[in-house]
């Protein structure tokens, strides 16, 4: 609070030296301060949208700031959506369609492959299913733990590794214990080289409840690793992933069962995704 006025003045001055002011997130104080500063500096304001707007605002923005957040989106000079699936939410909030642009996420495939080659192959003899991302509710990793447990009860041998940190770490650990799979679920936390872990996986699973277009999915496909993703994970525009029903443990179970028993179809799809 003590430094706020000085920081605000510096931000406005920086915006005056800029051609465009852009917020790299669709929510947060960065969005709001960028919007106000762009107005004061009389510069165009652009926002990058990474996830469905309504769900993201409802989940992440305090009620007292939701109206201001929606106003900033409506008054933006342009919005850049990382997936075409996000456009409707932005226009429904009031931004004119001609101001909304789609620039899909991309990855440096060669860099991802170089990183993956830096670590030795896994010593695990059992197939390993991997999930990567912030351990939070919207990522849906609880659904993946339940699907993993169901398959283990069926006798489909495999392990599950969840890579990342977040508020759901301990709840996921407790869920694995409650489901009787604590010994086959690894909660790895943050790692310096996630592509190396993904490269050695039998499959990457993206069970998100809502998502824009996760980079980890594109990285997995660059490594020709099979991907199973929920329909709400921004995967419909990407070649390679098998899509499953959102918020559905049975759909995840069925897809994983098929892949673990016959991995070649999804491996072939992943190779096509890497080529695209």
């Amino acid at each position: 609070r003590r430094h706020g006025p000085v920081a605000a003045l510096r931000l406005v001055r920086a915006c005056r030296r800029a051609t465009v002011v852009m917020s790299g997130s669709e929510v947060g104080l960065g969005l709001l301060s960028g919007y106000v500063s762009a107005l004061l500096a009389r510069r165009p304001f652009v926002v990058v949208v990474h996830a469905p707007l309504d769900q993201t605002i409802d989940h992440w923005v305090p009620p007292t700031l939701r109206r201001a957040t929606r106003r900033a989106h409506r008054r933006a000079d342009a919005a850049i959506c990382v997936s075409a699936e996000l456009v409707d939410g932005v226009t429904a909030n009031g931004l004119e369609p001609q101001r909304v642009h789609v620039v899909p996420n991309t990855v440096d495939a060669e860099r991802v492959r170089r990183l993956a080659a830096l670590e030795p192959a896994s010593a695990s003899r059992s197939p390993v299913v991997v999930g990567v991302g912030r351990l939070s509710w919207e990522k849906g990793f609880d659904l993946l733990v339940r699907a993993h447990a169901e398959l283990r009860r069926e006798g489909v041998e495999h392990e599950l590794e969840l890579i990342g940190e977040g508020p759901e770490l301990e709840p996921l650990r407790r869920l694995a214990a409650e489901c009787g799979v604590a010994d086959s679920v690894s909660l790895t936390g943050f790692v310096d080289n996630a592509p190396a872990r993904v490269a050695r996986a039998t499959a990457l699973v993206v069970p998100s409840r809502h998502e824009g277009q996760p980079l980890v999915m594109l990285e997995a496909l660059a490594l020709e690793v099979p991907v199973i993703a929920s329909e709400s994970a921004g995967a419909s525009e990407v070649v390679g992933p098998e899509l499953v029903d959102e918020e559905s443990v049975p759909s995840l179970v069925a897809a994983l069962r098929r892949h673990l028993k016959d991995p070649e179809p999804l491996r072939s799809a992943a190779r096509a995704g890497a080529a695209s």
Side-chain angles (χ1 to χ4, degrees):
R1 293 176 181 175
R2 183 175 58 178
H3 299 291
V6 175
L9 180 60
R10 288 177 177 172
L11 179 58
V12 173
R13 286 175 176 171
C15 291
R16 284 176 177 163
R17 294 193 296 269
T19 305
V20 176
V21 178
M22 184 174 74
S23 171
S25 173
E26 64 274 0
V27 295
L29 291 178
L31 169 82
L32 297 176
S33 59
Y35 170 64
V36 172
S37 298
L39 285 178
L40 294 174
R42 297 183 179 180
R43 294 295 184 267
F45 177 69
V46 179
V47 58
V48 182
V49 181
H50 298 271
L53 191 59
D54 282 342
Q55 294 96 317
T56 304
I57 290 175
D58 289 345
H59 187 69
W60 291 106
V61 179
T64 54
L65 294 179
R66 287 175 187 170
R67 184 175 179 180
T69 298
R70 291 190 177 278
R71 179 184 176 87
H73 277 277
R74 274 196 305 275
R75 298 295 181 87
D77 293 278
I80 299 172
C81 297
V82 301
S83 167
E85 296 178 4
L86 304 177
V87 171
D88 287 347
V90 175
T91 56
N93 185 63
L95 188 63
E96 297 91 337
Q98 64 269 24
R99 296 190 179 194
V100 184
H101 310 272
V102 178
V103 181
N105 277 334
T106 60
V107 296
D108 184 342
E110 290 305 317
R111 178 179 179 275
V112 171
R113 291 165 188 151
R114 286 196 302 271
L115 287 171
L118 291 178
E119 296 186 16
S122 171
S124 175
R125 296 182 180 180
S126 180
V128 179
V129 172
V130 171
V132 182
R134 175 177 163 82
L135 302 183
S136 52
W137 175 84
E138 75 277 4
K139 295 293 186 179
F141 290 129
D142 56 310
L143 307 172
L144 181 53
V145 170
R146 294 182 187 280
H148 166 71
E150 178 62 31
L151 285 168
R152 293 277 296 189
R153 284 192 289 270
E154 293 180 9
V156 181
E157 288 298 317
H158 67 293
E159 298 175 9
L160 174 61
E161 181 179 17
L162 299 180
I163 300 171
E165 298 177 340
E168 290 295 305
L169 175 61
E170 289 307 316
L172 286 169
R173 200 185 304 278
R174 290 195 297 269
L175 178 62
E178 292 167 6
C179 293
V181 290
D183 60 337
S184 59
V185 175
S186 300
L187 290 158
T188 309
F190 172 81
V191 297
D192 289 322
N193 189 353
R197 303 292 185 99
V198 173
R200 288 146 186 78
T202 304
L204 172 83
V205 181
V206 186
S208 302
R209 291 179 167 93
H210 59 82
E211 187 99 37
Q213 193 179 81
L215 293 175
V216 66
M217 176 176 64
L218 304 180
E219 291 173 347
L221 292 172
L223 297 170
E224 300 186 5
V225 173
V227 175
I228 297 170
S230 72
E231 291 180 341
S232 53
S236 63
E237 302 162 42
V238 180
V239 175
E242 177 174 351
L243 300 183
V244 298
D245 297 338
E246 59 185 87
E247 195 82 35
S248 173
V249 172
S251 189
L252 274 173
V253 168
L256 281 166
R257 184 192 298 116
R258 284 193 299 271
H259 176 61
L260 291 170
K261 291 187 175 180
D262 182 12
E264 187 50 38
L266 261 189
R267 286 177 182 168
S268 178
R271 287 192 290 270
S276 68

